[in-house]
Amino acid sequence: MTPMTARRRRPAAGYAVVLLGLLIAGAGYAAITEAGSASATGPNIAASAQVSQGRAIFLEECATCHGQFAQGVPGVAPSLIGVGAAAVDFQVSTGRMPAKEPAAQQPRKSPQLTPPQIKALAAYIASLGGGPPVPTSGQVNAHGANAGFGQQLFTADCAQCHNFDGAGGALTYGKYAPPLTKATPTQIWEAMLTGPEAMPVFNNTTITPQQKRDIIAYITQTRSEPNPGGFSLGRVGPVTEGLVAFLGLLLFMVLAAMWITAKHRKTPNE
Amino acid sequence: MSDSTAGHGPGEHEPGHDLAAGGGETQAAEGAARRRVIGTPSPARSRMLLAETAAGSTAGLPEVREPELPADPQDMDDAKRAERIVAACFVLAMLAGFGFIAAYLIFQVHTVTGTWHSNLALGLTMGLSFGFMGIGATIWVRRVMPHVDQVEMRHPLRSDPEAREAFAETFADGTAASQFVKRPILRRTLIAATVPVAVAPIVLLRDLGPLPGTVLDHTVWRKGMRLLTYGANTPIRPADFSSPGGMITVVPDGFQDDFNALAKAAVIIIKFAPGEVVYTTRSAPADGFTVQNWTVDNIVAYSKICPHVGCPAALYEQTTHHILCPCHQSTFDATRGAKVIFGPATRPLPQLPMTVDAEGFLVAKSDFTEPVGPSFWERGNSS
């Protein structure tokens, strides 16, 4: 038996061969798909370079669920014709789209596309017709807005789902109103205007742009409010505070009572 | 058990013990001679007693009485260690107490944030002070004091016959001396004086009323009253509220700042896409109830007050068209006259009849056609 044969017959050799095979297959597949996506950018129907770039990104990232022409697939994903650039910017910049897998609700995660890619994708979807545009930074600038009035509006029409300070809350069948702790002013604006997922739409004629800025001012200002006592406890109001106080103090008092009354030493009398 | 710590000397017992035992005079004399610890009772009840016992001690009575409690714990080394821990706890309690005073002086309360900081510091220092005192006291009892089980026998609560007889005599004598029986005018006027005091609480029950009458059956909504967006107080044209999936809280014009009125009159309006609203399920024709289309341009108005216990039911999911109540998860189908599809609510959210006025703004056609909010006794049929 040669030394080479001996090495081939060791038990670990089998695993090593399988691993190697998988690596080669994976790398080859990646190379093929890379080439395929590159070729998709070739034929273009749209006029501007940005729209064609957006079309390419769409085919790569979105078409599997939303269909080749963004027409939607019943039971899988909605049509994106007419949703507008604001909806695209909201969904993609919050990382909700492209989705990893179908779910009751997509969680916020780090964005999968770069800002120029998002811009191109939004331009392509907007080119299909209709929908609100992405707001300018000046439109969403809440500097000087009335956060107090924003609170009044927020408590009337937002707080029922998002909680009074934007901590979020549960809805039905796994859906939920997300916490607003990370949403940027642009994303808050876009969410109000487009009504992503289960959220109602608050268009600019019912909640005016100035009122939207007031609401943004309230949401962003609330984040910097101090937490008296040092712990936020989720900032969902007195319920958690009461629960923590009740359970924590109850446990403490039971343990203290046990310690005070415990007999741990025998005495000569016993 | 605390008796044993009041003083280490066996001479510091209650005088009753000393007398009953017929001894201990020597110890009392010694206790008097020793420097007494501040805050502990004097071993002697009076100078007379002290003189007597001091004199008695010379009469050669037993020198050492068997104490009821052992003066020292079994494990002296452990007690010594515990003593240091207890002393450390008390020192920490003292420092925390000074910290409380310092916190009061340092943290000013003229701002909201300042008040939070002050409350936190005051609460923490006071809690630490009391906490260390308690911990110290507990360790003291558990490890420094001797561990003894003591039994106190129960005795009947009833006084002895002599005391009872004496009380009866005193009462009879007092009654005679007070002239209560002999002078009826005093007796009767005194009784009359107490009558209004007894009657007054019954009269005060009037404040539980008046009965609400038909107030609960109505809200402030009237025919032609405009729907205003809450907060901005602007009237709404159907064209302004044109995005399907839209929802907004509205209030009656003229009552936008009247919170008592809004507690019942708050309304949400919802905009649907054409064809989404189903009109015919609000009430079956068999009920003899004419099904009416109170919507304007696919806009529907529902009371915001949940008919279960009156929470603001306004969690609207535009994908499912469900309205949820946040308190007990009652769920209403907004496309089907807010029919209850889940939860403890027993009837749909009342719908506000709605139309547009001459200027094209949304107005109420009338008040709600049924009482809004939770059930009440006079409401009758609860469904």
Side-chain angles (χ1 to χ4, degrees):
Chain A
M1 199 192 282
T2 63
M4 192 61 195
T5 319
R7 230 174 283 148
R8 252 187 276 142
R9 287 189 185 168
R10 279 164 71 167
Y15 296 107
V17 168
V18 170
L19 198 65
L20 190 69
L22 282 174
L23 276 176
I24 290 167
Y29 179 76
I32 289 163
T33 48
E34 194 70 20
S37 69
S39 70
T41 53
N44 272 313
I45 44 166
S48 89
Q50 198 177 39
V51 170
S52 64
Q53 192 202 345
R55 165 85 184 149
I57 297 166
F58 180 85
L59 288 174
E60 192 178 339
E61 302 282 354
C62 323
T64 322
C65 299
H66 288 285
Q68 194 78 359
F69 303 100
Q71 79 278 21
V73 177
V76 179
S79 164
L80 300 182
I81 296 165
V83 298
V88 175
D89 188 58
F90 175 83
Q91 294 287 355
V92 184
S93 73
T94 59
R96 291 183 166 87
M97 292 290 152
K100 267 186 195 156
E101 56 197 351
Q105 183 156 341
Q106 295 299 331
R108 188 187 177 98
K109 53 183 189 285
S110 54
Q112 310 293 299
L113 302 181
T114 63
Q117 285 177 311
I118 297 171
K119 220 171 191 175
L121 189 61
Y124 166 64
I125 296 296
S127 77
L128 301 177
V134 176
T136 65
S137 58
Q139 272 179 299
V140 301
N141 184 359
H143 185 74
N146 185 347
F149 185 59
Q151 180 188 27
Q152 197 182 354
L153 297 172
F154 191 89
T155 49
D157 287 312
C158 318
Q160 52 260 56
C161 301
H162 287 290
N163 205 306
F164 60 89
D165 68 348
L171 294 173
T172 57
Y173 297 103
K175 297 192 292 295
Y176 57 91
L180 307 179
T181 44
K182 288 177 185 164
T184 65
T186 303
Q187 288 163 353
I188 298 170
W189 177 289
E190 288 165 347
M192 285 191 274
L193 210 50
T194 63
E197 312 212 28
M199 177 166 163
V201 180
F202 299 95
N203 66 17
N204 280 339
T205 41
T206 36
I207 301 274
T208 63
Q210 183 54 48
Q211 290 169 4
K212 283 189 168 68
R213 281 189 283 275
D214 294 339
I215 290 172
I216 290 169
Y218 171 69
I219 294 171
T220 48
Q221 192 173 314
T222 309
R223 292 172 190 161
S224 56
E225 290 291 318
N227 293 311
F231 295 105
S232 69
L233 301 177
R235 294 183 100 166
V236 291
V239 175
T240 44
E241 289 166 25
L243 192 70
V244 167
F246 184 77
L247 292 181
L249 290 181
L250 197 69
L251 184 71
F252 171 77
M253 289 169 83
V254 167
L255 291 177
M258 286 168 67
W259 178 60
I260 289 169
T261 58
K263 282 187 184 178
H264 71 125
R265 282 185 299 165
K266 292 282 176 196
T267 66
N269 296 359
E270 285 170 346
Chain B
M1 197 164 274
S2 61
D3 280 358
S4 70
T5 50
H8 283 278
E12 294 177 10
H13 291 288
E14 293 172 39
H17 278 293
D18 290 346
L19 294 174
E25 290 85 351
T26 314
Q27 285 72 36
E30 279 175 13
R34 276 214 311 264
R35 197 163 63 85
R36 188 156 58 85
V37 177
I38 295 166
T40 58
S42 165
R45 290 293 131 187
S46 70
R47 295 195 174 280
M48 184 70 109
L49 186 63
L50 185 66
E52 270 179 26
T53 52
S57 71
T58 57
L61 282 163
E63 204 156 284
V64 178
R65 182 184 62 87
E66 182 68 28
E68 279 191 28
L69 296 169
D72 289 321
Q74 286 77 32
D75 188 346
M76 287 301 278
D77 293 339
D78 183 62
K80 188 74 191 165
R81 283 193 299 275
E83 187 181 13
R84 291 199 200 99
I85 296 171
V86 173
C89 284
F90 289 162
V91 169
L92 287 172
M94 179 189 70
L95 293 178
F98 282 129
F100 179 85
I101 296 170
Y104 176 80
L105 296 174
I106 291 168
F107 293 101
Q108 296 302 308
V109 291
H110 300 298
T111 63
V112 173
T113 322
T115 308
W116 285 344
H117 292 156
S118 174
N119 282 347
L120 181 65
L122 291 178
L124 266 182
T125 48
M126 185 185 272
L128 285 175
S129 180
F130 288 152
F132 278 122
M133 274 192 242
I135 291 169
T138 308
I139 295 175
W140 183 346
V141 170
R142 284 169 59 81
R143 288 174 59 186
V144 183
M145 290 186 190
H147 191 94
V148 184
D149 289 332
Q150 284 185 301
V151 178
E152 183 182 10
M153 303 306 289
R154 285 185 184 169
H155 58 87
L157 287 172
R158 183 188 166 107
S159 305
D160 58 64
E162 292 80 31
R164 293 168 63 82
E165 203 171 308
F167 174 80
E169 282 169 11
T170 308
F171 187 82
D173 293 351
T175 305
S178 71
Q179 314 273 301
F180 194 76
V181 179
K182 280 185 199 157
R183 300 185 189 275
I185 187 159
L186 289 182
R187 187 173 71 237
R188 287 167 192 165
T189 50
L190 176 62
I191 291 169
T194 63
V195 168
V197 179
V199 173
I202 300 167
V203 177
L204 295 183
L205 288 177
R206 181 179 170 276
D207 280 353
L208 293 175
L211 290 172
T214 59
V215 168
L216 295 174
D217 295 335
H218 309 294
T219 70
V220 296
W221 285 104
R222 292 291 174 270
K223 186 180 179 182
M225 198 176 271
R226 279 182 180 164
L227 282 66
L228 306 184
T229 59
Y230 179 67
N233 300 328
T234 48
I236 308 155
R237 286 194 174 90
D240 298 334
F241 190 59
S242 57
S243 309
M247 184 220 82
I248 193 116
T249 302
V250 295
V251 292
D253 191 1
F255 295 91
Q256 53 267 38
D257 297 318
D258 183 345
F259 290 116
N260 280 328
L262 294 186
K264 290 202 303 169
V267 164
I268 55 170
I269 57 172
I270 298 169
K271 170 77 176 183
F272 293 99
E276 283 179 335
V277 186
V278 181
Y279 301 116
T280 51
T281 50
R282 180 65 203 266
S283 186
D287 296 346
F289 183 83
T290 313
V291 175
Q292 296 190 32
N293 178 1
W294 286 329
T295 69
V296 174
D297 205 9
N298 290 302
I299 299 171
V300 187
Y302 293 117
S303 167
K304 198 176 179 176
I305 316 300
C306 182
H308 177 223
V309 285
C311 291
L315 281 77
Y316 175 61
E317 297 180 354
Q318 67 132 322
T319 41
T320 57
H321 306 302
H322 293 169
I323 302 169
L324 277 70
C325 179
C327 292
H328 306 97
Q329 286 71 52
S330 289
T331 306
F332 308 89
D333 186 345
T335 61
R336 295 171 185 273
K339 184 182 152 188
V340 182
I341 53 174
F342 182 78
T346 54
R347 53 177 178 271
L349 294 167
Q351 189 177 349
L352 183 71
M354 203 167 46
T355 184
V356 287
D357 64 7
E359 292 175 63
F361 290 110
L362 289 173
V363 294
K365 231 173 188 171
S366 71
D367 191 8
F368 289 97
T369 56
E370 58 182 314
V372 303
S375 301
F376 49 94
W377 190 262
E378 297 86 349
R379 192 181 191 279
N381 186 5
S382 66
S383 59

